[in-house]
Amino acid sequence: QVQLVQSGAEVRKPGAAVKVSCQASGYTLTDYYMFWVRQAPGQGLEWMGWINPNAGGTNYAQKFQGRVSMTRDTSTNTAYMELSRLTSDDTAVYYCARDFRPPNIPASLDYWGQGTLVSVSS
Amino acid sequence: QSALTQPRSVSGSPGQSVTISCTGTSSDVGYYDYVSWYQRHPGRAPKLLIYDVTERPSGVPDRFSGSKSGNTASLTISGLQTEDEADYYCCSFGGNYYVFGTGTKVTVL
């Protein structure tokens, strides 16, 4: 069965960076785009961007451009999201989610990771 | 890109129907038929309920239905059940971005 297992909670100081992993099982990572979504405390879901694990292409939300990097390691079926220059506003639960649609059709996310809490505090 | 606007909360008794609205702009909800809906129980990952405005993934009960008119999409839950108490989020494609709604808490009275 399809599973996305994310890395554990992280604590960082302002200005630091964090890298969250998302290991896929039950399917081949390169067969589907991977999205990253976050939810800050008391807030709604927020789209961060996506990666095409096959070719490595990415598309980042304008808000995060220059600060986010989405990569993958096809040998371990794992996707990564790194966010730099963290501030307290980046405190949130970060999710990876699989897009089950073909690449030329806008996404819908059928499987989600369990979420990774990133806390930013001095 | 601003978050899509949803009511903060809706409520209903078991067996009743509730409808959640999701208002965007002519650049996202109004332009594309690519609105999806997600259900999120506390402490759990979101679950896909509806995609492409009206389509249900296999395994999602037909109590859940989606529609769209102009810049507003809607999710209707018919025959409300206690397990439907959760947060619901819409999401729309906007050309080169995706935008989620502000979220709606559904309470089963």
Side-chain angles (χ1 to χ4, degrees):
Chain A
Q1 72 282 19
V2 173
Q3 276 192 302
L4 301 175
V5 178
Q6 299 183 220
S7 48
E10 302 272 12
V11 179
R12 293 287 186 273
K13 292 189 183 302
V18 69
K19 191 171 186 176
V20 178
S21 67
C22 171
Q23 185 167 38
S25 61
Y27 79 99
T28 302
L29 184 72
T30 53
D31 286 347
Y32 298 91
Y33 281 33
M34 188 72 80
F35 278 57
W36 289 88
V37 176
R38 76 177 187 180
Q39 184 167 31
Q43 305 295 312
L45 299 172
E46 182 176 29
W47 174 68
M48 298 183 69
W50 55 252
I51 180 170
N52 172 1
N54 187 32
T58 56
N59 182 25
Y60 304 140
Q62 191 172 20
K63 174 177 179 176
F64 300 102
Q65 284 185 7
R67 219 163 54 92
V68 71
S69 176
M70 296 176 188
T71 57
R72 87 289 190 218
D73 181 344
T74 57
S75 69
T76 61
N77 234 35
T78 303
Y80 299 91
M81 186 285 300
E82 184 170 21
L83 190 62
S84 61
R85 304 196 299 278
L86 293 168
T87 73
S88 58
D89 289 343
D90 294 316
T91 293
V93 176
Y94 290 76
Y95 294 98
C96 58
R98 189 184 82 160
D99 169 25
F100 76 95
R101 311 305 297 285
N104 59 331
I105 297 179
S108 289
L109 308 176
D110 63 343
Y111 285 94
W112 294 63
Q114 82 276 19
T116 297
L117 175 62
V118 175
S119 300
V120 183
S121 174
S122 56
Chain B
Q1 304 97 25
S2 299
L4 308 176
T5 301
Q6 297 180 231
R8 182 174 291 271
S9 65
V10 299
S11 61
S13 300
Q16 288 187 329
S17 293
V18 295
T19 296
I20 303 168
S21 61
C22 167
T23 301
T25 70
S26 56
S27 298
D28 38 59
V29 176
Y31 192 85
Y32 296 98
D33 288 334
Y34 292 113
V35 176
S36 52
W37 288 90
Y38 299 87
Q39 176 192 62
R40 186 172 181 276
H41 287 102
R44 296 177 63 178
K47 173 187 175 181
L48 177 65
L49 293 178
I50 297 286
Y51 66 97
D52 294 356
V53 178
T54 61
E55 300 299 307
R56 272 188 314 275
S58 61
V60 174
D62 59 7
R63 304 185 291 105
F64 295 92
S65 62
S67 63
K68 191 186 88 166
S69 177
N71 294 342
T72 299
S74 299
L75 174 73
T76 297
I77 309 173
S78 306
L80 199 61
Q81 298 184 4
T82 54
E83 59 261 37
D84 298 334
E85 186 161 295
D87 294 326
Y88 292 80
Y89 295 90
C90 59
C91 180
S92 178
F93 178 64
N96 62 345
Y97 65 88
Y98 291 84
V99 59
F100 282 91
T102 50
T104 298
K105 180 173 179 57
V106 170
T107 301
V108 181
L109 301 172

